[in-house]
């Protein structure tokens, strides 16, 4: 979800206003995804690298996150949505981490769409953690080296028991992956749009899905 800062700058507004509008769009797109029958929606809200932004901006983003967890997600929960979070939780403030755990527990048995929010998320860090977990199992003798395969390794990632993404959309004209789900996107389709995240909407999402549906996915076969 990229482009909040530029959206604000173009209007002569502080970056925080772009983030505020961006959070509104998160609500709209989550609702739209449910209506369109999407089973899993993952949103890249804050990366490990985003911690390097100014103290002021991080504070703004964490404030918005608190509001989002407290009010916006309440509404989402009522729609039978299962909510989960991926990322390095130790980095987040304790009250935020506690709220996240609570929301996950409360929605665990919901049977509708899964909304996955990547927070303080970095894919390389996730992979390194998974390597450590796997190595520990081998070292303890719980598994043998030959047991390590794609399935086992996938289960060591934050995304265990979620399917790999079919489609990755990045807004704001940047055409890069920025440490996002590197393992999981092995066969994902990509869509890059110049639209800034605060201007993203349901109609655009529908158009992108139409485009996706016309693609032929071969998974390496001829
Ligand atoms: C995305 O918008 C929001 C977050 C990364 C939290 P940006 O803040 O990256 O906006 P630009 O890229 O500066 O326009
Ligand atoms: Mg950006």
């Amino acid at each position: 979800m990229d482009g909040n800062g530029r959206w604000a700058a173009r209007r002569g507004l502080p970056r925080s206003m772009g983030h505020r509008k961006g959070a509104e769009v998160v609500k709209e797109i989550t609702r739209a995804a449910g209506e369109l029958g999407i089973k899993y929606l993952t949103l890249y809200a804050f990366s490990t690298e985003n911690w390097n932004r100014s103290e002021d901006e991080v504070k703004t983003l964490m404030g918005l996150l608190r509001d989002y967890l407290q009010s916006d997600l309440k509404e989402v929960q009522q729609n039978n949505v299962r909510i989960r979070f991926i990322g390095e939780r130790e980095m987040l403030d304790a009250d935020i981490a506690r709220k996240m755990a609570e929301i996950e527990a409360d929605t665990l048995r919901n049977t509708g769409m899964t909304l996955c929010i990547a927070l303080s998320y970095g894919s390389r860090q996730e992979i390194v953690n998974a390597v450590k977990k796997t190595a520990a199992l081998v070292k303890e003798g719980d598994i043998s080296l030959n047991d390590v395969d794609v399935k086992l390794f996938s289960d060591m990632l934050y995304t265990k028991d979620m399917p790999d993404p079919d489609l990755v959309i990045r807004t704001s004209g940047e055409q890069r992956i920025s440490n996002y789900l590197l393992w999981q996107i092995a066969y994902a389709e990509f869509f890059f749009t110049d639209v800034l995240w605060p201007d993203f909407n349901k109609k655009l999402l529908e158009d992108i899905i139409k485009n996706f549906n016309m693609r032929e996915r071969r998974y390496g076969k001829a």
Side-chain angles (χ1 to χ4, degrees), residues 2-3 6 169-178 191-196:
D2 202 3
R6 278 163 285 171
I169 302 169
R170 182 167 187 160
T171 56
S172 88
E174 312 294 358
Q175 302 194 11
R176 52 176 172 261
I177 302 304
S178 302
F191 196 98
F192 296 100
T193 170
D194 288 339
V195 172
L196 303 175

Side-chain angles (χ1 to χ4, degrees), residues 1-8 15 19 44-47 50 53 57 61 170 172 174 176 196-198:
M1 302 185 287
D2 202 3
N4 293 351
R6 278 163 285 171
W7 182 91
R15 293 178 62 84
H19 294 314
Y44 200 1
F46 192 85
S47 73
N50 286 151
R53 292 195 177 188
E57 182 159 354
L61 287 166
R170 182 167 187 160
S172 88
E174 312 294 358
R176 52 176 172 261
L196 303 175
W197 176 253

Side-chain angles (χ1 to χ4, degrees), residues 73-89:
L73 276 187
K74 267 274 166 310
E75 184 193 318
V76 174
Q77 283 185 49
Q78 277 148 18
N79 288 328
N80 197 26
V81 173
R82 192 157 58 116
I83 300 164
R84 50 187 294 174
F85 300 92
I86 57 173
E88 301 194 293
R89 298 179 191 217

Side-chain angles (χ1 to χ4, degrees), residues 40-44 86 114-118 159 162 165 180-181:
Y40 291 84
L41 174 68
T42 302
L43 300 172
Y44 200 1
I86 57 173
T114 296
L115 172 64
C116 174
I117 302 168
T159 49
M162 290 207 291
Y180 189 54
L181 300 175

